[in-house]
Amino acid sequence: MTTTTTPRPTPHAHTAGSGVSFAHVLRSEWIKLRSLRSTAWCFAVIVVLLIGFALLFGAFASGFEGAPATDEQQQSLAVSVATIGVPFAQLVAAVLGALVITGEYGTGMVRSTFAAVPRRTPALVAKVLLIGVTTFVVSALALAVALLVSTPLLSSSGVDTDLADGRIWLSMLGGAATIGFIAMIAFGLGAIIRNGAGAIASAIGIVFVLPIIFSIGQALIAKPWIYSLYEFIPPQAATRVYDYPVDGQSLTALPGLDGSLVLEPWQALLVLVGWVVVLFAIALALVKRRDV
């Protein structure tokens, strides 16, 4: 009499992709991110814009009519000069964030990514975290250099910058954070649209075109509610994050209207987080439902 036995599964038997840890996914996505030429070029452009604009405006500081009267006003001016390139860097970050995901759809590499990570969520989380963190780090270093190189230029014009002031460094970190958040917002749009041109156009529309539309609306309507609504679009919220206001007056953010809402930096930061979370949640839901 013969009997058949069913082979017992070995401890190493896994379903496809179930043994892939998040650390491995993160490392894989990091290799892909730093291997892209667009990543290096975009980061280089961000650095050049942030430092270059600070140098340019710092060099023309001699054209200011007299130095600001108080120490806080001088600090505010120093922040404005050091962060003058942030909106332009945000445009580049928007392009990079969109390309990171749409490039994979364009080349078909996303099929390999999702074959290795069938659940898809870890891959998308790793991508968005990496693009946000790396953009923040590069921008923070560039803004620190921008502040340091613009300080002596401002000093020669009678504007003394106190680098021991914690608020001024918080503004630099805030400016870097906004560039990272814009990249993450663009990533979410790219994952939703899946087309490079469409995602880039949408991201640039949010960063560049939307403020223009609101500015026209404010000129035509001039009601507190439209000024309050303006505070919740990413570019204006970003400005509030790294702003250095003095007595409620800002050198970087557009003035509001009596009765309109003005966000505090931490509130503006939460607005940017909200944009990232909502767009990423929509993207994740669509990526799980769609065929590659």
Side-chain angles (χ1 to χ4, degrees):
M1 180 177 178
T2 61
T3 59
T4 60
T5 59
T6 303
R8 298 169 66 182
T10 65
H12 299 288
H14 296 282
T15 56
S18 62
V20 180
S21 68
F22 182 73
H24 289 151
V25 175
L26 198 63
R27 183 169 62 180
S28 174
E29 294 300 330
W30 166 242
I31 293 172
K32 284 193 285 187
L33 179 64
R34 62 186 174 88
S35 299
L36 293 172
R37 284 183 295 178
S38 58
T39 302
W41 278 107
C42 286
F43 282 160
V45 172
I46 287 173
V47 170
V48 170
L49 285 173
L50 292 175
I51 299 176
F53 272 100
L55 282 171
L56 180 63
F57 278 78
F60 282 100
S62 59
F64 298 150
E65 295 182 1
T70 67
D71 292 341
E72 276 198 329
Q73 288 173 339
Q74 295 184 62
Q75 294 293 89
S76 180
L77 178 58
V79 168
S80 299
V81 171
T83 60
I84 194 70
V86 168
F88 303 98
Q90 289 172 354
L91 287 173
V92 180
V95 173
L96 176 60
L99 286 178
V100 165
I101 183 64
T102 59
E104 286 207 29
Y105 279 104
T107 60
M109 185 181 290
V110 71
R111 294 187 180 91
S112 300
T113 299
F114 291 156
V117 190
R119 289 190 301 161
R120 302 188 179 187
T121 300
L124 283 185
V125 171
K127 287 178 186 292
V128 75
L129 285 178
L130 281 173
I131 191 61
V133 171
T134 53
T135 305
F136 166 75
V137 171
V138 171
S139 302
L141 293 174
L143 281 171
V145 174
L147 178 63
L148 293 175
V149 298
S150 62
T151 295
L153 297 173
L154 291 172
S155 180
S156 64
S157 302
V159 179
D160 295 324
T161 305
D162 180 13
L163 295 179
D165 180 9
R167 283 183 62 192
I168 201 170
W169 292 107
L170 281 177
S171 292
M172 298 303 107
L173 289 176
T178 64
I179 299 172
F181 276 118
I182 293 297
M184 296 169 79
I185 289 172
F187 177 90
L189 290 171
I192 293 170
I193 299 172
R194 298 196 300 181
N195 175 270
I200 291 172
S202 299
I204 291 178
I206 289 177
V207 175
F208 184 71
V209 179
L210 199 55
I212 295 176
I213 294 174
F214 266 91
S215 296
I216 295 173
Q218 290 169 349
L220 295 175
I221 300 174
K223 297 290 184 181
W225 66 266
I226 194 169
Y227 282 84
S228 298
L229 188 60
Y230 181 54
E231 293 285 307
F232 290 90
I233 69 172
Q236 178 67 2
T239 304
R240 296 297 184 195
V241 171
Y242 63 86
D243 194 14
Y244 193 113
V246 179
D247 298 328
Q249 300 298 318
S250 170
L251 292 177
T252 53
L254 294 176
L257 200 66
D258 289 341
S260 64
L261 175 68
V262 176
L263 296 178
E264 296 291 331
W266 66 270
Q267 294 172 325
L269 190 62
L270 289 178
V271 168
L272 293 177
V273 171
W275 274 86
V276 172
V277 170
V278 169
L279 287 174
F280 184 78
I282 295 172
L284 186 59
L286 291 175
V287 166
K288 282 181 168 292
R289 292 181 58 184
R290 290 168 172 166
D291 292 331
V292 177

